[in-house]
Amino acid sequence: AQTVTQSQPEMSVQEAETVTLSCTYDTSESDYYLFWYKQPPSRQMILVIRQEAYKQQNATENRFSVNFQKAAKSFSLKISDSQLGDAAMYFCAYRRSGNTPLVFGKGTRLSVIA
Amino acid sequence: EAGVAQSPRYKIIEKRQSVAFWCNPISGHATLYWYQQILGQGPKLLIQFQNNGVVDDSQLPKDRFSAERLKGVDSTLKIQPAKLEDSAVYLCASSPDRDSSYEQYFGPGTRLTVT
């Protein structure tokens, strides 16, 4: 079974600074997708960024970027120029190819300090 | 485009009572998921529908949980009888296409407290 591990229950960052959230996963599949979701206190889960395993290039979305190391099964999220609105729970998630459910890690609570 | 709708947003019941949650996915989305999110954990799949058929219900506690998706649109999730450990947020999500590699869209969730 696929598993996703987030080893940092909590992280904090100063406003305008950069923070990296870690994620590792375990799978025997070769074709899969990885995601970072953000869940603010209102609980609506929002997609931050996704990475297709077959792509070598790391995904970027504005201030958010990932470091995808397929051999190491590592998928970290970097948030640059952190803003107060970035404060939330961040979940790393895995999905096999096809219309399959997400497998989530336990999450990392990010605090942004003004 | 309207998002995934869920109701109620909050529910408090006593153990052994029954409860039902409702989800309306994004229009045209064929796949619907119910996830259970216990405090301090990531969401875990309960059941997946493709149109009105069940694709995966292997993690659904079928002795107390049931779910249906009538006409391949709205879905209801029921718990009967509820236990204390069912206290959680129940998230509904939908995605557009079969074999899509793209995101799932989540509703705001229903927070259930069982006392």
Side-chain angles (χ1 to χ4, degrees):
Chain A
Q2 295 86 12
T3 59
V4 177
T5 302
Q6 294 179 250
S7 59
Q8 305 155 315
E10 296 184 358
M11 293 281 286
S12 62
V13 62
Q14 293 279 349
E15 198 175 5
E17 297 295 310
T18 297
V19 65
T20 299
L21 308 184
S22 301
C23 173
T24 59
Y25 60 94
D26 187 26
T27 183
S28 58
E29 304 282 339
S30 58
D31 190 13
Y32 53 87
Y33 304 87
L34 297 165
F35 305 83
W36 280 98
Y37 276 87
K38 172 184 178 181
Q39 189 177 44
S42 66
R43 300 195 311 277
Q44 189 102 28
M45 197 83 75
I46 303 166
L47 178 67
V48 174
I49 197 166
R50 68 169 159 256
Q51 174 80 42
E52 292 87 346
Y54 62 84
K55 289 186 177 179
Q56 293 186 340
Q57 187 172 6
N58 289 324
T60 62
E61 286 287 343
N62 300 314
R63 298 182 295 108
F64 299 87
S65 62
V66 298
N67 184 2
F68 173 47
Q69 302 289 327
K70 190 172 184 179
K73 296 181 181 175
S74 171
F75 183 61
S76 61
L77 174 70
K78 186 172 80 171
I79 306 174
S80 303
D81 185 26
S82 296
Q83 300 175 1
L84 294 177
D86 295 333
M89 283 291 288
Y90 285 82
F91 291 96
C92 179
Y94 163 99
R95 186 180 189 181
R96 282 189 295 116
S97 179
N99 213 353
T100 55
L102 292 162
V103 177
F104 288 88
K106 289 190 173 183
T108 296
R109 182 176 301 279
L110 178 67
S111 301
V112 181
I113 303 165
Chain B
E1 171 178 80
V4 177
Q6 289 188 248
S7 67
R9 292 294 308 275
Y10 305 91
K11 190 74 176 178
I12 301 174
I13 62 172
E14 295 182 350
K15 60 184 179 183
R16 292 187 290 274
Q17 286 187 326
S18 63
V19 65
F21 313 129
W22 173 83
C23 172
N24 180 237
I26 293 173
S27 178
H29 281 195
T31 306
L32 185 148
Y33 307 84
W34 283 101
Y35 291 90
Q36 180 192 56
Q37 186 178 15
I38 293 173
L39 185 64
Q41 298 183 20
K44 292 184 179 180
L45 179 74
L46 288 174
I47 189 168
Q48 175 185 350
F49 292 94
Q50 179 76 25
N51 296 309
N52 61 351
V54 175
V55 175
D56 183 354
D57 65 355
S58 58
Q59 300 181 72
L60 187 74
K62 298 181 186 64
D63 58 334
R64 298 183 300 106
F65 287 66
S66 64
E68 61 181 3
R69 189 181 184 194
L70 299 176
K71 300 181 180 179
V73 183
D74 293 5
S75 177
T76 57
L77 176 69
K78 297 179 181 178
I79 308 175
Q80 182 179 12
K83 292 185 175 181
L84 295 176
E85 59 261 36
D86 298 332
S87 294
V89 175
Y90 291 84
L91 297 169
C92 180
S94 68
S95 63
D97 298 316
R98 188 178 183 86
D99 295 327
S100 169
S101 64
Y102 296 103
E103 67 178 292
Q104 294 179 15
Y105 297 81
F106 285 82
T110 296
R111 179 180 292 279
L112 174 67
T113 302
V114 183
T115 63

